[in-house]
């Protein structure tokens, strides 16, 4: 130690001279009145050793990374008097050293005050007597003076005389999972085989495929958070969400407990409506909402119920979401009651709802609302019995009508084509399908909810809070993306409304309008297309007939103003921008969340794992499967139609094979047994 201090004094003197020259060169540039605090010296104040300032600076410099001429990093992992905050940090550093040097290090003393580790590797050369093994001299020991002080290394011998090995005992699943957390967070879908090859290349240690698989699973839990533990801090998350996002409504429902003195409740449902999204939906001026649900794929599966609106550019506008135990009438009724209380919706409102199938809760809570059914899902149910394209055309013609007379005419044509399909379609429609113009939208497909659910695929297999955060972050990012597009838009109308107007103007050139002397016009176009126009429009945009009437007024010398003034305010660009003024605020990390003082603890719901491998992909309909394979249904009856493949060839179904050897049908040459006598 005498030689050690003497070397330190010499190096400190040289280092002090270099620092003094550096201060002299910069004395003209630095203002002496400024008090600059060096934060790097904060950890040196509580070491408790009687070492002067020069010696402490040199010791700190020795612990930094140095590079040689070839650019390699030589890092000093341990040194005498090196400080560690706790024993866990010191132990992990020793394990990391064992993994990097490929040695087997054992902890021979591990208590509250001391930690001693030695190397038990195989020594390459035995310097002692024959037959007596020589232990590896590598040893390290750390300790602390009292329970509240830090840990310091008191004994350390860095020399290894043992051979390196590919079977390192410190390369456990728990330890390696912490080393690959950053990689799993950036690329959670990395294959296990690729991860195994990368670990073997980085550490030059053997890893079995089963250990790597367990390591990846453990790392995912560390990144996402444990599924069960997130239920414990669910109330803390709710407090943080409501404190950062004003006017946010969160409703939590738990299962009732027969024992009133129980200190825990089992999670059942949760409803979330962010304040910024609620204000933006009101600014959209569109009373149109779509309902849908999607499966969760974690160890505690449930359903994510979503409500999506439509903005002025005919884009999706996610409004609220909830996590429930299953999708049934009771859960939907609870979800709709939460929405009604949150958005101040009364029973006699004029909203328009669209869903993939009939929701009994909608008719019970909102009997006066217009309820549309997704036409695509109705066709999928019809396609199970009637598969040809003619049924699809009749279904679409009946659903897209806008007047009662036209609807009755289309339905009569449908009944004359197939009375059974007509009767089935009547049962699917409790009310007339034509739109009444309440929502200023002619949407008949629930694609807005399908698009939103598609964006949540990667978040549905995550734990509860992680899944909720995935939805919130998506909403926050989507608002920013829409604002970037809005800055590039120029004009009185939104981009989608502008395209529709241009299309209607092109069609209006083929129509002629005749005035009847009052407020009505007779508009006639090609193919005997004739209508009576009284300046009413379903979607809030002037159709080709209305534009033809306006053109006739201009030809007669009347002033009609600009065309965009006849569009509904929903389609204005300023309305679209006003909806995205309200933002979704970010939240802080878990360590800074407020702690809930509610005494009741939330525990996960009960769930029994089903036998077999859990399914990740959703069930595809028959139409989706046919579109994926490139199949097209030819005309004809459903039972006798031939299905053509994407390559343009017919299937070999009901085709008799002829043997090339014996010329007999029913088998081929490979299975021929000489039936023809040859």
């Amino acid at each position: 130690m005498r030689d050690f201090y003497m070397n330190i004094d010499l190096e400190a003197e040289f280092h002090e001279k270099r620092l003094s020259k550096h201060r002299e060169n910069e004395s003209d540039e630095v203002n002496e009145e400024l008090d600059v605090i060096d934060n790097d010296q904060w950890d040196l104040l509580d070491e408790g050793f009687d070492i002067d300032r020069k010696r402490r600076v040199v010791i700190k410099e020795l612990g930094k990374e140095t590079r040689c001429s070839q650019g390699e990093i030589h890092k000093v992992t341990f040194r005498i008097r090196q400080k560690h905050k706790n024993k866990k940090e010191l132990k992990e550093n020793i394990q990391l050293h064992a993994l990097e040097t490929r040695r087997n290090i054992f902890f021979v003393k591990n208590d509250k005050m001391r930690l001693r580790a030695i190397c038990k590797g195989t020594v390459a050369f035995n310097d002692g007597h024959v037959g007596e093994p020589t232990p590896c001299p590598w040893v390290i020991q750390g300790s602390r003076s009292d329970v509240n002080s830090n840990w310091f290394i008191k004994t350390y011998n860095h020399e290894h005389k043992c051979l390196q090995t590919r079977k390192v005992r410190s390369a456990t699943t728990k330890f390696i999972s912490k080393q690959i957390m950053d990689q799993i967070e950036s690329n959670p879908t990395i294959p296990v085989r690729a991860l195994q090859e990368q670990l073997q290349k980085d550490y030059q240690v053997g890893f079995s495929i089963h250990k790597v698989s367990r390591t990846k699973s453990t790392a995912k839990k560390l990144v996402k958070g444990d599924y069960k533990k997130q239920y414990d801090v669910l109330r803390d998350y709710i407090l943080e969400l409501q404190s950062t996002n004003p006017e946010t409504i969160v409703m939590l429902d738990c299962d009732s407990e027969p024992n009133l003195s129980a200190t825990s409740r089992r999670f059942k449902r949760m409803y979330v409506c962010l304040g910024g999204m609620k204000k933006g939906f009101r600014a959209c001026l569109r009373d149109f909402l779509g309902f849908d649900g999607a499966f969760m794929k974690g160890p505690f599966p449930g359903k994510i119920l979503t409500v999506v609106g439509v903005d002025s550019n005919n884009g999706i506008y996610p409004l609220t979401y909830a996590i429930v135990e299953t999708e049934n009438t009771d859960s939907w009724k609870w979800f709709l009651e939460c929405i009604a209380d949150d958005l101040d919706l009364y029973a006699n409102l004029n909203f328009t709802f669209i869903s993939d199938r009939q929701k009994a809760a909608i008719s019970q809570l909102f009997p006066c609302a217009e309820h549309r059914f997704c036409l695509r899902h109705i066709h999928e149910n019809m396609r199970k019995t009637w598969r040809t394209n003619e049924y699809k055309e009749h279904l679409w013609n009946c659903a897209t009508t806008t007047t009662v007379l036209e609807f009755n005419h289309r339905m009569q044509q449908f009944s004359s084509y197939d009375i059974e399909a007509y009767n089935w379609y009547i049962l699917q429609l409790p009310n007339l399908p034509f739109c009444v113009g309440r929502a200023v939208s002619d949407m008949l497909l629930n694609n807005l909810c399908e698009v939103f659910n598609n964006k949540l695929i990667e978040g549905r297999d995550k734990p509860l809070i992680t899944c909720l955060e995935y939805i919130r972050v998506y909403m926050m990012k989507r608002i920013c993306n829409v604002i970037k597009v809005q800055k590039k838009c120029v004009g009185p109308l939104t981009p989608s409304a502008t395209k529709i107007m241009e299309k209607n103007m092109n069609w209006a050139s083929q129509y002629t309008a005749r005035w009847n002397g009052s407020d009505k016009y007779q508009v006639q176009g090609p193919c005997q297309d004739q209508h009576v126009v009284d300046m009413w429009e379903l979607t809030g945009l002037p159709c080709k007939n209305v534009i033809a009437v306006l053109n006739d007024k201009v030809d007669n010398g009347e002033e009609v103003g600009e065309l965009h003034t006849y569009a509904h305010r929903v389609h204005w660009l300023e309305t679209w921008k006003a909806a995205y003024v309200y933002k979704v605020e970010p939240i802080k990390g878990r360590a800074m969340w407020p702690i809930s003082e509610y005494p009741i603890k939330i525990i996960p719901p009960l769930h029994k794992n089903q036998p077999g491998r859990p399914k990740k992909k959703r069930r595809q309909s028959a139409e989706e499967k046919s579109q994926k394979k490139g199949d097209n249904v030819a005309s004809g009856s459903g039972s006798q139609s031939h299905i053509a493949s994407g390559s343009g060839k017919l299937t070999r179904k009901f085709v008799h094979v002829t043997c090339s050897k014996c010329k007999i049908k029913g088998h081929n040459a490979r299975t021929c047994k000489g039936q023809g006598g040859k």
Side-chain angles (χ1 to χ4, degrees), residues 309-429:
V310 184
D311 62 7
S312 300
N313 197 39
N314 289 337
I316 66 171
Y317 194 88
L319 180 57
T320 64
Y321 51 94
I323 295 181
V324 298
E325 70 281 4
T326 184
E327 188 177 7
N328 52 25
T329 304
D330 183 45
S331 61
W332 271 109
K333 187 175 181 180
W334 176 83
F335 185 41
L336 291 174
E337 288 176 352
C338 295
I339 297 174
D341 296 338
D342 194 10
L343 301 179
D344 298 331
L345 304 182
Y346 48 89
N348 298 328
L349 83 168
N350 292 327
F351 262 63
T352 300
F353 302 129
I354 185 170
S355 60
D356 55 350
R357 56 183 177 179
Q358 184 176 2
K359 301 287 191 303
I362 296 178
S363 58
Q364 294 177 7
L365 296 178
F366 308 106
C368 298
E370 179 188 359
H371 188 192
R372 303 180 188 178
F373 303 142
C374 180
L375 193 61
R376 176 173 171 269
H377 289 81
I378 295 178
H379 175 252
E380 288 180 358
N381 296 331
M382 176 183 284
R383 198 172 183 272
K384 296 177 182 178
T385 307
W386 302 280
R387 302 188 58 183
T388 58
N389 288 335
E390 282 76 7
Y391 291 96
K392 182 178 180 180
E393 293 177 359
H394 282 286
L395 178 65
W396 185 261
N397 292 334
C398 293
T400 54
T401 55
T402 57
T403 60
V404 178
L405 295 178
E406 187 179 2
F407 173 74
N408 294 333
H409 176 67
R410 295 293 186 181
M411 292 294 287
Q412 185 178 2
Q413 292 180 346
F414 194 10
S415 62
S416 60
Y417 178 76
D418 193 330
I419 188 63
E420 294 183 1
Y422 168 80
N423 294 332
W424 178 89
Y425 183 54
I426 287 295
L427 296 177
Q428 304 300 316
L429 302 177

Side-chain angles (χ1 to χ4, degrees), residues 28-125:
D28 298 335
E29 299 178 1
V30 178
N31 190 355
E32 298 179 354
E33 296 180 358
L34 297 179
D35 295 331
V36 181
I37 300 176
D38 189 2
N39 293 326
D40 295 336
Q41 298 180 2
W42 180 264
D43 293 337
L44 299 175
L45 298 179
D46 58 348
E47 290 188 359
F49 291 96
D50 189 14
I51 305 175
D52 57 359
R53 181 176 178 276
K54 301 178 183 179
R55 191 172 293 122
R56 292 199 301 266
V57 172
V58 174
I59 292 176
K60 185 175 180 180
E61 291 294 330
L62 291 175
K64 293 184 177 180
E65 296 180 354
T66 57
R67 294 179 180 268
C68 65
S69 58
Q70 297 180 357
E72 298 179 356
I73 297 178
H74 304 283
K75 184 177 180 180
V76 180
T77 54
F78 301 105
R79 68 180 185 274
I80 301 297
R81 301 185 183 91
Q82 186 181 22
K83 188 185 72 172
H84 296 271
K85 296 180 180 179
N86 47 47
K87 185 177 68 173
K88 182 180 179 182
E89 180 183 350
L90 177 58
K91 193 173 181 179
E92 289 180 354
N93 290 339
I94 296 175
Q95 290 178 334
L96 183 60
H97 171 77
L99 184 61
E100 292 176 348
T101 58
R102 290 182 291 165
R103 259 84 178 194
N104 285 323
I105 297 177
F106 291 78
F107 295 96
V108 295
K109 190 178 293 296
N110 187 3
D111 54 27
K112 296 182 179 180
M113 305 300 294
R114 294 173 296 178
L115 180 68
R116 184 179 180 86
I118 62 174
C119 179
K120 291 186 178 182
T122 304
V123 180
F125 301 100

